[in-house]
Amino acid sequence: MPPDSLADARKPISQPARLSQGRVLDSRGLAFAEAPGALERAAHLRGDAERLADLRAGEAARVVALWRGRPLFGPEGLHLLRAGEAALEAMPGPEIFLGCHDGCALFSRDVSAFEPEGERPDGAAFFDASEQRHPDLPDDIVFAELRGRMGFLSPVEAEIAATARGLVEWHRTHRFCSTCGAESEPEQAGWHRRCPVCERHHFPRTDPVVIMLITDGNRLLLGRGPHWPETMYSCLAGFMEPGETVEAAVRREVFEESGVEVGEVSLVASQPWPFPASLMLGCRGVATTTDITIDPVEIADARWINRERLLQVVAGRDPEISAPRQGAIAGWLMREWLADRLE
């Protein structure tokens, strides 16, 4: 939106603030992917403390609360809190200016110091479906794992949630200067940290990850991580290393994990993945060898499956392989390949 439009956009909006109506995910079926009319990040406002304070005090200000990385959700999607709301006042914590959307100035607040009653997340679980509540909010307003709800958010909500979670987690894990060890301080509305001792500036990091759909004619290579549920298989993936191209990272990761060699590689799509701070680079690769020799440290199993079986998998009808998670790029790559849209 135009930078000056917020000055005249202080009227209240409905609660919960629904950021976008209609379709879920983006036009391709990817969560966290950019959409038309998405978050206006308004970088020009980050250094203007007076202007931000004015926006934060306005009726159009909304806050995304995150408890230990879990956003607050309502029945209709991401739940935003108004400034001065009792629950928000009862959960103090550092805030970050996220940007603007549809007349709202958006902030995130880390409320991890809040101690909810009842069930706590299981840190050892692959996925924890527990929910936490605040006594000043309705029972259907809960803190929940973003991965479990990403497929039900509108594109703008998903981008806001991913941005908020990524920034909050970065601040939580990067409090100290990597140069001299002193505790650094947030600046630019939370978009970087500065060391007061050596004056080093630190910026939020994003870790590139290649995730690849590897094919051999009518077959697709899938793998299962060592700590995944037994029926969960996905495309192979791995972090890029310094000095690598995307193509080289794809070939290296596939060979290291499965022993399969890859020839032609193409970049297909990308997806922010704030768990905690990755950018998934979705690729297509063509195998030049097919014998599988897994690295048991990296993966527990790898197998080739044909199109006919993949059709059963994505339909949820395969007894050994569960359907891929809706909204994640791995499942999107599989569905696109089934539909012959990756050629």
Side-chain angles (χ1 to χ4, degrees):
M1 62 186 303
D4 295 330
S5 62
L6 278 174
D8 301 317
R10 301 295 180 82
K11 61 185 180 189
I13 59 176
S14 61
Q15 177 69 21
R18 185 64 171 156
L19 295 165
S20 182
Q21 299 290 343
R23 60 190 176 88
V24 298
L25 308 177
D26 80 332
S27 60
R28 300 167 297 172
L30 286 172
F32 313 127
E34 187 176 355
L39 175 66
E40 167 54 57
R41 294 175 179 246
H44 63 287
L45 295 177
R46 294 172 187 170
D48 191 340
E50 183 177 348
R51 176 71 171 135
L52 287 177
D54 183 49
L55 291 173
R56 180 62 180 80
E59 293 184 11
R62 296 292 182 269
V63 178
V64 182
L66 295 103
W67 181 79
R68 300 184 186 179
R70 293 171 162 231
L72 196 60
F73 294 97
E76 296 184 354
L78 192 65
H79 187 86
L80 305 184
L81 296 173
R82 295 174 182 270
E85 195 164 338
L88 189 62
E89 294 297 310
M91 296 186 290
E95 286 191 359
I96 300 167
F97 172 64
L98 300 178
C100 311
H101 178 72
D102 197 25
C104 295
L106 301 171
F107 299 80
S108 65
R109 178 182 291 187
D110 184 1
V111 299
S112 297
F114 165 62
E115 292 292 342
E117 295 182 358
E119 193 175 6
R120 294 293 194 277
D122 180 0
F126 177 79
F127 173 79
D128 186 283
S130 66
E131 298 174 345
Q132 290 73 41
R133 292 170 174 80
H134 191 280
D136 293 334
L137 293 172
D139 287 343
D140 58 357
I141 306 298
V142 299
F143 292 103
E145 173 58 56
L146 179 57
R147 279 179 290 189
R149 301 199 177 205
M150 63 184 183
F152 302 99
L153 298 179
S154 71
V156 174
E157 285 177 318
E159 183 183 2
I160 291 169
T163 303
R165 190 184 194 283
L167 284 169
V168 165
E169 288 298 289
W170 176 71
H171 281 283
R172 184 180 65 82
T173 58
H174 289 76
R175 286 177 53 203
F176 298 94
C177 176
S178 59
T179 301
C180 73
E183 185 166 3
S184 59
E185 301 170 346
E187 289 193 347
Q188 288 289 309
W191 283 87
H192 80 241
R193 299 182 71 92
R194 181 185 62 83
C195 177
V197 176
C198 69
E199 294 295 326
R200 176 74 180 267
H201 290 262
H202 303 275
F203 298 87
R205 63 176 296 168
T206 297
D207 301 317
V209 177
V210 287
I211 181 165
M212 39 275 179
L213 185 133
I214 304 301
T215 58
D216 170 49
N218 194 47
R219 300 189 303 169
L220 168 71
L221 182 64
L222 296 180
R224 179 169 66 83
H227 306 295
W228 293 3
E230 287 197 6
T231 61
M232 183 177 177
Y233 283 75
S234 185
C235 298
L236 301 187
F239 288 98
M240 293 185 63
E241 295 184 347
E244 274 190 318
T245 64
V246 170
E247 295 83 357
V250 167
R251 296 185 182 107
R252 176 185 55 78
E253 282 289 344
V254 174
F255 183 75
E256 288 178 354
E257 294 184 351
S258 70
V260 172
E261 296 182 7
V262 175
E264 180 183 353
V265 173
S266 57
L267 177 63
V268 179
S270 63
Q271 179 185 41
W273 194 246
F275 306 106
S278 296
L279 175 65
M280 308 302 289
L281 302 171
C283 299
R284 164 80 185 276
V286 179
T288 57
T289 66
T290 59
D291 290 342
I292 294 175
T293 304
I294 68 167
D295 177 351
V297 175
E298 294 285 338
I299 60 175
D301 186 32
R303 59 178 67 180
W304 292 100
I305 68 170
N306 60 27
R307 283 179 183 265
E308 292 74 22
R309 184 172 185 186
L310 181 60
L311 188 61
Q312 298 302 307
V313 168
V314 298
R317 295 195 292 262
D318 190 281
E320 297 180 352
I321 303 176
S322 55
R325 181 186 291 121
Q326 184 72 20
I329 197 168
W332 178 83
L333 286 167
M334 296 179 202
R335 294 182 180 93
E336 291 294 292
W337 183 66
L338 273 177
D340 286 325
R341 289 195 289 258
L342 292 184
E343 300 301 333

